[in-house]
Amino acid sequence: MSQPVRKKLIEVALPLDAINKAAHTENNIHTGLPSNLHTWWSRKPLGVARAILFGSLVDDPGEYLPADRATSKRDELFSIMAAIADVERSDEKELFARATKEILQSTNGQMPTFWDPFCGGGSLPLEALRLGLPSLGSDLNPVAVFITRVLIELAPTQALHPPINVDDRDTFLQGGGKFDGLRRDVEYYARVINERLVERIGPCYPEATLPKRFGGGQAEVVAWIWARTVVCPNPSCRAETPLATFRRKIDVFGSTSMGFGRAKTAGPPAVIFEGLWM
Ligand SMILES: C[S@@+](CC[C@H](N)C(=O)[O-])C[C@H]1O[C@@H](n2cnc3c(N)ncnc32)[C@H](O)[C@@H]1O
């Protein structure tokens, strides 16, 4: 006879304040975490990924304990969840061993295989691995697949390896963290690739000339939108006009955190798209 399906903890309750706090802290860390290796849109904070996976795998104690004991067991699971969500504690072996033990108690002693079919930057497959699950990821975007492969297949093999790049390999001293060698190689080769790209295609991405109302001068453009252009059929205009729609009003000046450069024009009269937004 098939076993009755037990509700999972995540279906009953979550320590949301602790998870939100951990997410906020992690979102403000921009270096040193595996997820900092490459950005991806809507990437889940690693601590949140761990907590959510844990809550999805352990049974709610109300399914197998009387109400009063279920409450205290739930509190115990909440404290594990809050602790594994904490970015400062992601290397605590005992804590993760405890979390893994709880998961095994809810999965008949056998870890299920985890598969994220929309893995993006790989947060969920990576954290499933950390919790001891065999882990897979896939995505229709090859860049996402590449990032995830590096995170869950390549990076773990590089723990405590010295760097191989010519600048660092002879002078490297272990001590800056398990993945310091890998970090230095990534930084070195990113610099090399960037320099080569700037040489070859840099002139296609010039600095923007800021309008006076934005302070004037030159500014680096951090995002470009390329558009096909047509020449205006009005003989008195003939402006080269980009065929593009933008979801935001173009010249809203917020902060310099993002911007797009102006479309190249053949000469006046011209339609110039330039702007900065938050
Ligand atoms: C929001 S991102 C996932 C972020 C991920 N959870 C993380 O933490 O990094 C959504 C992903 O779903 C992928 N995607 C969208 N539609 C898909 C489809 N039909 N099949 C596979 N992947 C898809 C996108 O390429 C994108 O990488």
Side-chain angles (χ1 to χ4, degrees):
M1 216 172 70
S2 62
Q3 297 270 339
V5 177
R6 287 177 169 180
K7 268 191 191 165
K8 295 295 176 184
L9 183 61
I10 198 170
E11 297 176 82
V12 178
L14 290 175
L16 279 179
D17 285 346
I19 295 174
N20 285 339
K21 195 165 157 241
H24 181 73
T25 307
E26 191 180 321
N27 280 337
N28 285 311
I29 299 176
H30 302 294
T31 174
L33 294 175
S35 48
N36 300 139
L37 199 57
H38 201 294
T39 50
W40 194 252
W41 56 278
S42 187
R43 187 196 265 283
K44 304 302 161 282
L46 301 178
V48 172
R50 293 192 283 275
I52 296 308
L53 283 166
F54 181 79
S56 312
L57 289 162
V58 294
D59 295 333
D60 177 60
E63 295 287 300
Y64 57 89
L65 290 173
D68 54 336
R69 287 181 54 212
T71 303
S72 67
K73 179 68 187 176
R74 212 175 277 126
D75 287 344
E76 190 190 322
L77 295 177
F78 281 175
S79 76
I80 297 178
M81 226 171 169
I84 60 176
D86 185 346
V87 65
E88 302 285 335
R89 303 185 66 179
S90 53
D91 275 338
E92 273 184 34
K93 284 202 169 64
E94 271 174 33
L95 171 64
F96 282 87
R98 223 176 122 206
T100 300
K101 195 169 150 212
E102 288 293 349
I103 295 171
L104 284 170
Q105 275 168 9
S106 294
T107 55
N108 293 326
Q110 214 182 359
M111 279 293 186
T113 298
F114 175 79
W115 173 41
D116 181 355
F118 306 93
C119 65
S123 302
L124 286 155
L126 175 73
E127 294 310 328
L129 265 188
R130 204 191 305 257
L131 287 168
L133 283 83
S135 178
L136 301 165
S138 56
D139 197 291
L140 59 69
N141 188 319
V143 178
V145 170
F146 182 68
I147 299 170
T148 303
R149 286 194 85 158
V150 170
L151 269 186
I152 72 175
E153 289 178 7
L154 182 113
T157 67
Q158 296 303 304
L160 299 174
H161 275 234
I164 57 168
N165 75 74
V166 286
D167 275 6
D168 292 310
R169 67 184 175 204
D170 296 330
T171 52
F172 179 73
L173 290 175
Q174 206 64 256
K178 261 198 302 193
F179 294 99
D180 201 28
L182 176 64
R183 179 181 67 78
R184 286 174 189 235
D185 280 337
V186 169
E187 282 171 0
Y188 175 86
Y189 289 107
R191 221 169 30 244
V192 169
I193 292 170
N194 190 49
E195 282 164 11
R196 288 185 193 169
L197 282 175
V198 167
E199 208 178 289
R200 287 175 60 180
I201 58 170
C204 299
Y205 299 89
E207 287 193 320
T209 305
L210 291 179
K212 271 209 186 90
R213 67 185 188 285
F214 295 162
Q218 299 295 112
E220 192 182 345
V221 178
V222 296
W224 288 79
I225 298 172
W226 290 92
R228 288 185 186 280
T229 58
V230 289
V231 175
C232 175
N234 179 343
S236 67
C237 173
R238 310 302 291 168
E240 193 182 5
T241 310
L243 293 177
T245 54
F246 298 99
R247 272 186 294 167
R248 285 173 187 254
K249 192 169 175 294
I250 285 163
D251 61 354
V252 176
F253 182 54
S255 79
T256 52
S257 66
M258 198 161 181
F260 56 87
R262 61 179 157 180
K264 277 261 172 216
T265 58
V271 178
I272 296 177
F273 282 66
E274 57 187 2
L276 298 158
W277 75 80
M278 300 192 69

